Every structure is written in C-alpha cells, then in structure tokens.
Amino acid sequence: MINITLPDGSVKQYEDGTTPIQVALSISSGLARNVISAKFNDTIVETTTPLHEDGNLVLLTFNDDEGKQAFWHSTSHILAQAIVKMYPDVNLTIGPSIENGFYYDVDLNGEVISENDFPKIEAKMLELARGKHDFEMRSVSKSKALEYYKSKNNPFKVELIENLEDGEITFCDHDDFTDLCRGGHIPNTGFVKAVKLMNIAGAYWRGDENNPQLTRIYGVSFPKQKELKEYLELLEEAKKRDHRKLGKELKLFTFSQKVGQGLPLWLPKGAALRDRLEKFLKDAQEAAGYQPVVSPHIGQKELYMTSGHYQKYGEDSFQTIKTPQDGEEYLLKPMNCPHHCEIFNSQAWSYRDLPQRYAEFGTVYRYEQSGELHGLTRVRGFTQDDAHIFCMPEQLDEEFKKVIDLVLYVFGSLGFENFTAQVSLRDPENPSKYIGSDENWTKAEAAILNAAEEKGLNYKVETGEAAFYGPKLDFMVKDALGRQWQLGTIQVDYNLPERFELEYKGSDNEMHRPVMIHRAPFGSLERFIAILLEHTGGNFPLWLMPEQATILSISEKYENYSKKVLSLLKKHEIRATFDNRGETMGKKIREAEMNKIPYMLIVGEAEVDNDTVSVRKHGGDDLGEMPIESFAKILNAETEKEIYKFEV
C-alpha cells in the first residue's frame, strides 16, 4: 500500500500502482470527469501514471494554471498531427504550452502555410480531437529514437535527441501520431472542444539567428466553445484598453525615432499624472519616515563593479561612456542601490541612528533589445520609486512588515484589490547565480517568509527566482481583464552592505554590518502607469485624473461666467478646463466622454441666471442643476473616499 496526501492534508491509502485518475474516481465521479492532469511530489504526471511511493498528489483541472498548461501542450500535439496530415513534407520541431495557449514551430520544407489556412487547419484539429484518442507515454532507447527521426529526415528532432541521455527519452502517442515529448498531457484528445489559431510568425531554431528560420503557429484551445468565445471577447476588450492606444488618445505620452527607441516622452497631461503619483507616494513615504535623496544619472564603472551589477548586466547595458581623461569610464545608471550605498557610506552611524530610509524617484537605463520593447511596459529609460532601508538585523522583521503595509496602501488607493504574493528564493542547485554567503541567504529568506506569514499574505514560494543579491517578495496583481502582472517588490540584501563595506557602531561599541531592504511599490513608474491604464481603461481614480471636470459653454456669450466657474473650482483644488470652442454641445460632450473626463459642467442662460452649473457624469448620468459650491463638495467627497492618508 502507498500513502497519498491530498491538498487538504488528508492521507489515504491505495494499492501500489494506483493512478491519479483512480484516486480522483475514489473521491467522486464528478471530480474524475474534470481532472485533466496531476502533480505528484511537485512533478507533473499523466493521469494514468502508476504511483509506486508515498507522496503528495494534486489533481488538476482546466481551472488550474498547471492544468491549462497540460491542456494546451496536448493541443499542440493535435496541431502537429493536423499539419503533418495536411502538409506531409514539413518537419516538426517543438510545441510547448505558453502563458495563453501554445505554439508549434515547423520547418515548412517547401510547403506554404498562411493565416488564410487557419480555418481548415482548425477544422482538421477538431475532427482529430473528436476521436477521443488517448495520450500515452512510452520510453524509447536513444538509438531507436534517432533511427525513427533519421528515417523521417528530420534534423531538428535528431539534434534534440543527440543532446539527451539514453534512458531518459520518451515519446507520446495518440491515434496514428507520435512525437518526442517529456510528458504532461490530458487523458485524451476528446477534452479539446474549441480551437483558435491566433497568428503565424517566424522563429529561429533554438532562438539563434544563425540557425534556420522556422514557422511558428500560435493557438489557444478550451474544453468548451463558450470559453473560447469569452476569451476572444476578452482579447477584443484588451485591444481597446491597450495602453499605447489610450496613451495616444488621452495625450499622455509619445515616442520619437529621433529621441530613440524605448525612451518615452511625457506630454503635459501624462507629466501631471506622473507628478500626482509621485506626490501620493512621497507623502506616504514621509509619514513612514523616509528621507528623499537624489543621485546622478551616471556613475563610474567601478561603482557597478563593486555592486556586481556590471558583471551581471554589463553585456546587456548601454556601453561605457569614455571621458577625455585616459582610462576613465562611466555607465548610465542601471540601478539606484549602489548610489544609495555610497550615500549611507558618507558618514559614520551609530545603532541609535538606524534605520536609515532613503527614497528616490530615480531614472535608470537598460539596453533592452529592440524586438523586446513594448510601449511603456518594456523601455530603455524608466523611473523607479526606489527606496533602500539600512537597518540592524534585529530591526529587519519590523521594517519588512512596514514596507508590506506601504505596498498594500498603494494597491488599495489605486483599485488593485485582486493580488497574491510570491516569495522568490535562490536555486540551491545553481549557487553560481548568486553572490554572498549561505548564512546570509538563509537569514534573508527566513525574514521574508516570516513577514509574509505574519501579515497573512496569500503567497506561494518560487525557488530559483531570487535576485542575484538576495531573495524577494513580489506582488502579483490581476487586472480588470484577469491578466496577472508583477507589481511591487521588496528584497532583503545582506550582500551589498558587505561589498560596499557599510558599517555602524553597535551598543557594544563594536562595528557591525547593516542589513539592506530594497523596495519599489510601483516598480517602474512607466510600466505601472501602463498597467493602470489598461486596468482602468483610462478611467483613473478621480483623485488621479489629469482633468476632473470640464466646463462646456453653450455659446460664447457665457464665456465670462464659465471663467468664473473655472476660478471657483480651482479655489477648491479641482482640476478643470474650459472648452470655449465654437462646436456643438453634442460634439463637446462626445469628445469629453472620449477623453474620460469624469464630470461635464454645462453652462447656459439658466445656469448664469441661477448662479449654477448643470452636471453630467462620464457615462451619461445627469446629476441636474446645482450651485458650484455643491458640485465642489460632491467631487471632493468622492475623492476623499478613494484616497486616505497613510498611517504608520
């Protein structure tokens, strides 16, 4: 008998060789119908894999991320089968699942496939899926595997197999199709009820431009047609919310080829938006005891050699800047933390002075490849809401939890309510990726796990995702479309204080090394604004809107009264504009709606006579006629509900 531990902690005994699907059936037939994959002792297995030892079993459905990955990887096999049937001369290469679907890379070998062919390929895939063919894994010797693919004249699979160890090679069979595969499949093809091929692109074999170019076909699949329909509707909504589109429409930012790729230019409305975000966080940081600092945009190469950033990122950064002084080299700043270490090093410290909390909206520069640039989310110059806390080891736990409070305040004020946390630890199998001693890493990792537990965060642990200098706590936020983004990070660092020889005098009159916390609730301000744009669709919280109200005059004879209204609103610290163009009222309202302005104040003869404004809310709600003071109270009360002061 073997002992199987289920996610709820219960332990059940089964016969040796029991499969995950048999475990599911023993729980309920309804569960078994929905199980499409399984994870045993943290390894993805088939639902028909015999289990021969005690262990933890997780039964996966399409609602689980890992279940989706098995579903989409299995569909890539169906795509490959359909392609081979329709285009017999192609060579198959690899077909993994990705974040939203799957792709398969093929060598067309003279065949021609375009997006016009997608409907007939999809039809063939669904025809094959309806056969309900089981996915079955089998081990193959290296010699047999090579013989099989050499007989098919497929150099790509041969290359893959030559790099594998004999005894570790497996094929997956379904119907009359077989493919080199490590595993992770749904029970049979019949689970796939809806397929959509999304696009076609070129891709170099193994990502190397010196290798042959292949054709990559992307797709997505679902167990129900309804789910595919909902997904495609979500994609259409995402196109409408694309921050590049909204940024242009709302006149927030632009790019210029003359300035350079990946270097955004902020227009007046966008700059005002940034300023408000910065002021919002600066006010909270001041309440939390942070001190503002400013560091230059460049630093000597030696600074980043000391920190380790040059060794880790030098090849991917902008090249060094040479000065007229022989041998003198500078770098555009890739990180703010080395500068902050030197600020701490500028004077002597006692234990009574700690913690020291330095905060800076510092612009940094990284040379992203041109193909990876994407609006504001991947740029070459961006501003981080960076802060570094230098504290005693015994202060670490409290300081880390205070930073968590600050991050949660930011999320709450900006409407990000659906989030989880990720604790990123080092990979114990690959110590060369990291700097610092095992002892320091152990202490840093323990501090993060303890803080996450005490704050009651919904978190998961990811091994191997730590920064090279320390573990971190990342916040994974879901936006209004259900997409997940990494926003906000907190990192514990025992290593940079050692590299920069930072010290303070302890109560024992001896010199000690401080611990360093890196934190950035926004992360990159550019990326944060892009995500916020897409999350809100441009309808920012009222306190953040570039324009909170616009005054729409029915005709030019009411211009003086409109200016009076504008002046009164400004006294109430309401951001308003006056649209005095000679356009129709209908056009003015439509454009105000397109510009996402929360309130429209219509001024005509009745309003002038009554010393009032007629208030229309974005979206069409008519609030009626009211005194200007009454409107100001409504707007300010709404703002106060959205944003509150950070309290320590």
Side-chain angles (χ1 to χ4, degrees), residues 254-265:
T254 189
F255 289 90
S256 162
Q257 287 297 322
K258 287 189 176 71
V259 172
Q261 287 185 301
L263 300 171
L265 298 168

Side-chain angles (χ1 to χ4, degrees), residues 186-207:
I186 59 180
N188 65 67
T189 61
F191 282 78
V192 179
K193 298 288 199 309
V195 171
K196 180 70 176 175
L197 299 183
M198 303 302 294
N199 63 292
I200 193 166
Y204 291 108
W205 170 236
R206 294 196 151 183

Side-chain angles (χ1 to χ4, degrees), residues 4 7 21 33 59 70 153 160 189 209 214 250 271 299 309 387 446-447 529 551 607 629:
I4 300 298
I21 195 65
R33 282 195 298 273
L59 299 168
N153 296 315
L160 289 173
T189 61
E209 61 184 13
L214 307 172
L250 299 177
H309 289 101
I529 289 173
I551 302 159
E607 287 77 20
E629 294 285 337

Side-chain angles (χ1 to χ4, degrees), residues 561-587:
Y561 181 74
S562 297
K563 288 179 179 178
K564 172 190 168 184
V565 173
L566 183 63
S567 177
L568 286 169
L569 293 177
K570 287 184 177 178
K571 286 181 181 177
H572 286 280
E573 297 184 347
I574 293 171
R575 296 183 294 279
T577 56
F578 170 35
D579 186 348
N580 62 348
R581 297 173 301 154
E583 301 287 356
T584 65
M585 183 57 65
K587 184 172 182 180

Side-chain angles (χ1 to χ4, degrees), residues 115 198 203-204 222 244 288 292 323 330-331 405 470 484 487 593 604:
E115 290 189 3
M198 303 302 294
Y204 291 108
F222 293 89
R244 296 167 297 178
T323 73
Y330 285 79
L331 282 173
D405 290 337
Q484 185 164 275
L487 282 181
E593 287 284 347

